[in-house]
């Protein structure tokens, strides 16, 4: 794996009140206290970030948000800035999740601006890409990814992208129980790494962590993680329960 530390990230989506999030985070902190050589992140809803930050402080668990706006502040009702996430205790931010693209008109251009804002605030961007079922069935998987990766990262410098994480999440595998086979995922991960190499050079291509997301569970994570270009997982449903997520964290 070229010495990339695996990252297991939990995307809690629009689940859990603050007190529920604090409870799950507290359980997780205990369950993963003895883990080594793996980075762990959970992304609760915005209102739970501050209380959860207090629970995960000085633990193995990092904190992420599920989105951010690219402007520093202003008249953008309902949005949140990178500095606000940092002040709430975040180290990571998920950007361009397919649910944002599908339901909230997120585009490659806005994803690009959000990545820039995250980097400027020293947040680690978890940049999501992935094809729909129709795109896969019509043989467009690689061209869709090519466009998403290129446009999302266009104009950035390799040095700025040093902490970048990319999450490959085939839309047809999210929340459906249909996981990509490890060979399907590996093929795409290798392709994404080659795109990074072409545009940003071999050093960044070797350093960038590429997570797989889409129905990752305790019983399929181990085989996915054996593939050379799969550096971690972005987990939705199975991250909501601390015990199940901790089993994914301990995939070895
Ligand atoms: P899932 O979601 O694990 O529930 O399929 C993954 C994601 O959307 O990040």
């Amino acid at each position: 794996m070229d010495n990339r530390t695996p990252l297991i990230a939990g995307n809690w989506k629009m689940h859990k009140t603050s007190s529920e999030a604090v409870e799950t985070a507290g359980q997780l902190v205990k369950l993963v206290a003895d883990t080594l050589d793996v980075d762990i992140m959970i992304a609760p809803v915005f209102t739970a970030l501050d209380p959860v930050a207090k629970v995960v402080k000085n633990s193995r668990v990092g904190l992420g948000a599920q989105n951010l706006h690219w402007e520093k502040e202003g008249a953008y009702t309902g949005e949140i800035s990178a500095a606000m996430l940092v002040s709430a205790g975040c180290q990571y931010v998920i950007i361009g999740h397919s649910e944002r693209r599908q339901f909230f008109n997120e585009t490659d251009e806005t994803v690009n601006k959000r990545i820039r804002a995250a980097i400027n605030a020293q947040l680690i961007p978890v940049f999501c890409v992935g094809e729909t079922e129709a795109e896969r069935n019509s043989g467009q998987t690689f061209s869709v990814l090519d466009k998403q990766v290129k446009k999302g990262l266009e104009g950035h410098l390799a040095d700025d992208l040093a902490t970048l994480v990319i999450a490959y999440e085939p839309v047809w595998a999210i929340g459906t129980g249909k996981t990509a086979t490890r060979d399907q995922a590996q093929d795409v991960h290798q392709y994404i790494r080659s795109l990074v190499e072409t545009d940003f050079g071999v050093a960044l291509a070797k350093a960038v962590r590429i997570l797989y997301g889409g129905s990752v569970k305790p019983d399929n994570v181990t085989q996915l993680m054996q593939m050379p270009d799969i550096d971690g997982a972005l987990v939705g449903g199975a991250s909501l329960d601390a015990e199940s997520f901790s089993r994914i964290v301990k995939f070895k």
Side-chain angles (χ1 to χ4, degrees):
M1 272 222 324
D2 278 309
N3 292 328
R4 293 183 292 272
T5 304
L7 170 62
I8 306 293
N11 174 10
W12 288 358
K13 308 192 179 182
M14 199 172 75
H15 292 285
K16 297 185 190 291
T17 60
S18 291
S19 58
E20 289 164 350
V22 161
E23 190 184 344
T24 308
Q27 292 164 347
L28 183 66
V29 163
K30 288 197 191 107
L31 287 165
V32 301
D34 60 351
T35 54
L36 291 171
D37 305 326
V38 58
D39 290 341
I40 306 163
M41 178 271 263
I42 49 175
V45 297
F46 293 137
T47 49
L49 288 172
D50 190 62
V52 169
K54 295 185 175 82
V55 176
V56 301
K57 199 170 179 213
N58 300 323
S59 82
R60 298 281 301 116
V61 181
L63 188 65
Q66 299 174 19
N67 189 22
L68 86 173
H69 193 267
W70 53 88
E71 294 291 346
K72 287 195 166 67
E73 60 179 15
Y76 302 101
T77 303
E79 296 294 326
I80 193 158
S81 76
M84 292 163 192
L85 298 182
V86 171
S87 80
C90 290
Q91 300 91 40
Y92 298 84
V93 59
I94 298 170
I95 295 175
H97 189 279
S98 66
E99 287 151 17
R100 300 290 322 164
R101 294 178 190 257
Q102 198 180 340
F103 304 128
F104 303 100
N105 301 324
E106 190 82 63
T107 63
D108 293 326
E109 289 70 28
T110 55
V111 165
N112 185 298
K113 292 190 206 180
R114 289 178 214 268
I115 292 174
R116 162 71 54 215
I119 289 166
N120 287 346
Q122 288 172 2
L123 285 166
I124 299 173
V126 179
F127 163 37
C128 302
V129 293
E131 81 288 2
T132 62
E133 186 152 41
E135 287 163 346
R136 175 162 283 263
N137 291 342
S138 58
Q140 293 177 69
T141 300
F142 289 108
S143 62
V144 166
L145 287 160
D146 188 272
K147 178 172 163 288
Q148 289 177 344
V149 172
K150 289 219 155 110
K151 292 204 166 241
L153 299 180
E154 196 164 69
H156 297 295
L157 300 174
D159 282 352
D160 293 341
L161 297 174
T163 64
L164 177 72
V165 175
I166 299 177
Y168 168 56
E169 299 206 302
V171 178
W172 48 272
I174 296 178
T176 58
K178 280 195 227 170
T179 326
T181 66
R182 63 185 199 162
D183 293 320
Q184 279 174 326
Q186 167 59 25
D187 278 354
V188 173
H189 283 226
Q190 195 175 26
Y191 181 68
I192 292 172
R193 204 177 296 286
S194 75
L195 294 174
V196 174
E197 180 169 344
T198 306
D199 286 350
F200 299 99
V202 67
L204 186 66
K206 282 193 170 181
V208 67
R209 290 184 287 183
I210 308 179
L211 315 185
Y212 169 77
S215 299
V216 175
K217 307 277 180 251
D219 61 5
N220 61 24
V221 64
T222 310
Q223 45 147 344
L224 287 159
M225 290 301 293
Q226 280 162 357
M227 304 312 275
D229 288 296
I230 301 184
D231 307 314
L234 181 53
V235 187
S239 72
L240 294 170
D241 175 72
E243 206 272 327
S244 130
F245 189 54
S246 73
R247 283 166 58 206
I248 297 177
V249 169
K250 298 176 188 179
F251 62 86
K252 277 178 210 147

